Amino acid sequence: MSTPYQTDDAAGPADAVTPAGTAGPITAPGPAIDPRTGAPLTATHPHGGDDAAQPTMPSDVSLHDASPRLTPFWRSLVIVLTVVGVLLTMNQVFFWNVGGVTIPTNSFLYLLIAVFVPIVFIVTPIRKHAPGAAARQRRGVPWYDVLLVLAVVGTSAYFAVHGIEIQEYGWQYMAPTLATVLSFVFWALILETLRRAAGLVVLVIAFLFSVYPLFAGIIPLSFLQGISYDLPTLAQVHTMGVDSVLGLPLQTAGTILVGFLLFGVVLQHTGGADFFHELSMAVFGRYRGGSAKVAVASSAAMGMMSGSAVSNVLTTGPMTIPAMKRSGFSARVAGAVEATASSGGSITPPIMGTAAFLMVSFVGVPYTSILVAATIPAILYYLGIFLQIDGYAAQRGLRGTPKNLLPRARHALAMGWPYLGALAVLTVLLFTTDSEAQVPYWVVAILLLIALVKPSVTFGPRQWVDMGVDVGKTLAQIVGIIAGVGLILGGLTATGVALSLSRDLVALVGDNVVLILIAGAVVCFILGMGLTISAAYVFLAIVMVPAVTALGVDPIAAHLFVIYWASVSYITPPVGLAAFAAAGISKASPMATCFSAMKLGAVKYVVPFGFALNPALVAQGEPVHIGLAFLFSLVAVYAIAAAMGGWLTFVERQLPMDLRVVLAVGGFMMFLPGAPVTLVGLALVVAAAVLARLRRPRAVVDPETGQITRVPEGAEVPDAARGTHGAHDTGGAPAGAHAPHENTKENAP
């Protein structure tokens, strides 16, 4: 079984993989560049959720890199800690109460930290080494990291043992001297864990919010004034209170997130990633622009399993981006397609990203409600990408791969039906069982059984070890990040400023929903540039969402609005982490790739306003209203994609600027609530489509080069373009385009 974890760093030219339907070997792409440091990026485990994908993490080490830190002893210890952590979580989730002992919630969370946070110190060096320096590093874990491991285990175990006393005697405000001293140690350890797991920027923000209660009473700005604390009490509140490190985010991680992340890792290690890529090739490869559509489908499947943007790019990009370039896509657009598709993982059910699971606690609804609510927006997002890719290919004469060079869908399904079955079982059980937290563990058991008995899957001792280490890395970084992000929650909650900020924000905008949504979108985007999606979400769920819901916005829509706008920073300048990573592989300009990714992902900027103003788009309302809203939104995305790309699919016409403007206005209006506005938008879209069809056909011109790519029968040829085109027939390929596997028919999606 080919591994889905090989990146450009892990695979040399000798073991490069040639995707089905492409010609020639794939040359090893260049490393992606971190826009903040200028250093090359390497892939972390490609399924650690949105947080684990941040390229600022010092622990960005490919799974198959020969990390000198993970000697056999330390690798074994990581696996042991991982197994203990998973069993500990299952004990709580399944109510086993081993030995007749019931573990209090706070003691369970301390134990969760005691087993997973040490893995961060084991696998992550104290500082990030220069590229290529791994071989010069000392083997094993240095003594100071061993001390940190012991300190985490010791302090966490102490608080876990005294969990009942902490609750019954109010230690968060009045604790014994030893507990107070260890509170400072625990606080510092969590901050260092956050630095290694999420980077310096997140550390600084979390530290400032964690010490903010020391000065809340003397800050001159009235909207930031709150209750002040002395330093010992603040350390106790952060360490032993229920609203800081042990707050809702970590509680959600312990009860729900661990199981779903485990499912994502196991699904990929047992062959799920290979299956979804092969199925994508079989279904989409023969259509025009097929290589890009395959990239979107496979990246969406990877993202659905992991919720990680940058790691998805670094995992699937080395395979999909060269294939797109060879089929005629420019390097810039190939990188943009991969980045845009990968950034949709955090919004794609049924697994989604970490922030979606945190919504469970903040909104107070079952995860199935969030899964259903996120379905329509995710469909709209990927439909917009598909339609723009189709328009790009149509305008440049790029066709798909011949069917005889593609895998057969029937064969792919016959070999990979267990993976589709696993997702189906997961979804069905989520809707039919009483405990959604137990569901992923049952499906993991099914996947492991399949891997053991399925002849086509190699799953021996090496695969078990790799999977164990990968699960440990994934869960350790997520638990470390969420524990650190809890300090932000603790600082705002302890001072009482969270509620006052919401009231002040409502007063500032004067009860105007649109203004507060625009302000919220800007804040989400800015925070998304520096924080992980989860950290940005936790902050805004406390500060902004109450203000939005106070003005009548549906709570689920408000929380999804925050997640969408926090994630757009992955494809938006000046940061565009996913786009920068893809540009490093495609060897295109990073900023140009960002702008192309913005264009492809245009729906992601519009849809959040649509479902915030019209909650039927997040399945809130009567079934009839939801169905109508979905149908109208499909037309709206069709219109917006045509306006952005300049090609009207199915009508098969290149659009002049006036009709593109009409389509953009009509599409946006159809997202707004109210039948009159929606119908006017629909009328504009229909009118533009009819006018485009009735206009005399014109030669199709490549918008980038100005060359004629096709001349439909009876079409006009602009004087400015005469003599510049490479093909005057009705199906010619653009001059210079390399399309060795084109069909004779031009297929729409």
Side-chain angles (χ1 to χ4, degrees):
M1 181 185 71
S2 60
T3 173
Y5 308 99
Q6 271 190 334
T7 67
D8 46 303
D9 298 311
D15 48 22
V17 180
T18 301
T22 60
I26 296 178
T27 57
I33 303 298
D34 186 334
R36 297 166 181 166
T37 65
L41 296 175
T42 54
T44 332
H45 41 284
H47 24 262
D50 57 81
D51 303 300
Q54 293 295 329
T56 54
M57 290 182 184
S59 58
D60 284 346
V61 179
S62 176
L63 176 63
H64 294 287
D65 285 346
S67 172
R69 296 175 68 92
L70 287 180
T71 60
F73 169 78
W74 291 108
R75 183 178 289 265
S76 300
L77 182 58
V78 168
I79 294 174
V80 169
L81 290 172
T82 301
V83 172
V84 171
V86 171
L87 290 176
L88 175 69
T89 305
M90 293 178 70
N91 178 70
Q92 294 295 106
V93 169
F94 287 93
F95 309 106
W96 288 342
N97 296 331
V98 176
V101 177
T102 301
I103 303 177
T105 299
N106 62 343
S107 295
F108 162 65
L109 297 177
Y110 287 125
L111 292 175
L112 200 68
I113 291 173
V115 293
F116 285 125
V117 168
I119 297 176
V120 175
F121 293 113
I122 292 173
V123 302
T124 311
I126 194 170
R127 61 184 179 87
K128 196 169 187 176
H129 295 281
R136 299 191 298 272
Q137 296 177 36
R138 177 182 172 185
R139 288 182 58 80
V141 178
W143 63 268
Y144 48 83
D145 281 339
V146 175
L147 290 180
L148 291 176
V149 168
L150 295 175
V152 170
V153 174
T155 54
S156 300
Y158 171 83
F159 290 121
V161 170
H162 294 88
I164 294 178
E165 290 94 327
I166 291 172
Q167 289 180 332
E168 293 183 351
Y169 299 110
W171 280 18
Q172 71 180 94
Y173 297 113
M174 186 177 297
T177 302
L178 178 59
T180 302
V181 172
L182 291 181
S183 294
F184 283 101
V185 176
F186 189 81
W187 186 2
L189 289 169
I190 293 299
L191 286 171
E192 173 60 11
T193 303
L194 185 62
R195 184 189 70 82
R196 297 198 191 197
L200 185 61
V201 173
V202 183
L203 166 69
V204 171
I205 294 174
F207 173 75
L208 292 177
F209 275 102
S210 69
V211 299
Y212 164 63
L214 296 175
F215 315 102
I218 59 174
I219 291 180
L221 300 175
S222 59
F223 63 91
L224 291 178
Q225 289 180 356
I227 303 171
S228 289
Y229 289 77
D230 60 82
L231 187 57
T233 303
L234 181 59
Q236 295 165 187
V237 167
H238 280 315
T239 301
M240 294 178 280
V242 295
D243 291 319
S244 190
V245 174
L246 304 188
L248 284 177
L250 190 61
Q251 294 171 29
T252 303
T255 55
I256 297 179
L257 190 54
V258 168
F260 280 90
L261 289 178
L262 175 67
F263 168 75
V265 177
V266 172
L267 179 61
Q268 293 186 60
H269 270 271
T270 52
D274 288 343
F275 161 69
F276 283 111
H277 180 74
E278 185 176 358
L279 183 63
S280 300
M281 288 288 294
V283 174
F284 298 107
R286 66 188 178 92
Y287 296 110
R288 64 187 180 199
S291 58
K293 292 171 182 175
V294 168
V296 172
S298 58
S299 296
M302 281 285 292
M304 177 188 64
M305 290 184 276
S306 71
S308 167
V310 177
S311 288
N312 281 356
V313 170
L314 297 174
T315 303
T316 61
M319 183 164 49
T320 60
I321 290 175
M324 284 187 275
K325 290 172 66 176
R326 280 196 301 275
S327 66
F329 284 80
S330 69
R332 169 179 54 82
V333 174
V337 168
E338 179 61 41
T340 310
S342 295
S343 69
S346 60
I347 59 171
T348 306
I351 304 177
M352 305 178 66
T354 306
F357 292 95
L358 298 180
M359 277 182 63
V360 172
S361 296
F362 279 103
V363 184
V365 297
Y367 178 65
T368 50
S369 299
I370 296 169
L371 185 154
V372 171
T375 299
I376 292 177
I379 292 173
L380 299 179
Y381 177 67
Y382 282 107
L383 175 64
I385 301 174
F386 265 91
L387 289 172
Q388 286 200 63
I389 289 172
D390 187 70
Y392 181 94
Q395 293 178 88
R396 290 156 181 82
L398 308 180
R399 298 187 180 87
T401 304
K403 292 178 65 174
N404 63 315
L405 297 177
L406 292 170
R408 300 290 182 183
R410 183 179 301 175
H411 177 266
L413 289 172
M415 297 300 295
W417 65 265
Y419 308 112
L420 283 180
L423 288 175
V425 170
L426 177 75
T427 305
V428 170
L429 289 179
L430 283 174
F431 284 97
T432 57
T433 59
D434 295 331
S435 178
E436 59 190 10
Q438 298 177 1
V439 169
Y441 297 100
W442 291 112
V443 184
V444 164
I446 295 173
L447 285 172
L448 292 177
L449 180 62
I450 291 170
L452 291 174
V453 302
K454 198 167 185 283
S456 61
V457 177
T458 302
F459 208 72
R462 169 65 189 275
Q463 286 71 32
W464 279 99
V465 170
D466 282 349
M467 185 177 69
V469 172
D470 208 16
V471 169
K473 289 181 178 180
T474 302
L475 297 179
Q477 290 202 340
I478 291 298
V479 170
I481 289 171
I482 289 179
V485 167
L487 293 170
I488 300 175
L489 175 65
L492 290 171
T493 304
T495 57
V497 168
L499 293 176
S500 63
L501 278 175
S502 299
R503 289 194 300 266
D504 292 339
L505 189 57
V506 172
L508 181 65
V509 299
D511 295 342
N512 189 307
V513 177
V514 175
L515 283 181
I516 200 169
L517 289 175
I518 293 174
V522 173
V523 174
C524 292
F525 172 70
I526 293 173
L527 288 177
M529 290 191 295
L531 297 175
T532 65
I533 296 178
S534 297
Y537 169 73
V538 169
F539 176 80
L540 292 165
I542 300 168
V543 174
M544 195 200 80
V545 170
V548 174
T549 54
L551 297 181
V553 175
D554 180 83
I556 291 181
H559 284 267
L560 281 176
F561 181 92
V562 168
I563 292 176
Y564 264 70
W565 269 96
S567 66
V568 298
S569 62
Y570 280 117
I571 59 172
T572 310
V575 178
L577 296 176
F580 271 72
I585 299 172
S586 67
K587 302 186 186 303
S589 164
M591 293 304 284
T593 304
C594 271
F595 284 112
S596 292
M598 282 182 65
K599 182 178 176 182
L600 284 169
V603 171
K604 201 171 189 177
Y605 300 88
V606 178
V607 167
F609 287 95
F611 63 62
L613 297 173
N614 185 8
L617 289 175
V618 286
Q620 305 301 302
E622 297 296 326
V624 174
H625 296 156
I626 295 171
L628 288 175
F630 180 44
L631 292 175
F632 284 126
S633 65
L634 291 175
V635 180
V637 168
Y638 172 76
I640 292 173
M644 297 300 298
W647 180 266
L648 199 59
T649 300
F650 304 121
V651 176
E652 300 302 298
R653 290 288 189 273
Q654 195 167 31
L655 295 168
M657 185 55 66
D658 56 346
L659 292 185
R660 293 173 69 174
V661 172
V662 173
L663 285 169
V665 173
F668 182 76
M669 291 178 67
M670 292 181 67
F671 273 118
L672 301 176
V677 177
T678 301
L679 292 176
V680 170
L682 178 62
L684 290 175
V685 172
V686 172
V690 171
L691 287 174
R693 184 65 184 177
L694 292 179
R695 286 187 177 184
R696 183 178 178 182
R698 296 175 61 88
V700 179
V701 179
D702 186 330
E704 295 175 344
T705 65
Q707 291 185 336
I708 294 178
T709 58
R710 277 185 302 118
V711 182
E713 185 177 353
E716 298 178 354
V717 180
D719 292 336
R722 290 182 184 275
T724 65
H725 54 282
H728 285 286
D729 60 309
T730 60
H738 179 56
H741 298 144
E742 294 181 348
N743 287 330
T744 56
K745 291 198 305 182
E746 191 175 36
N747 297 316

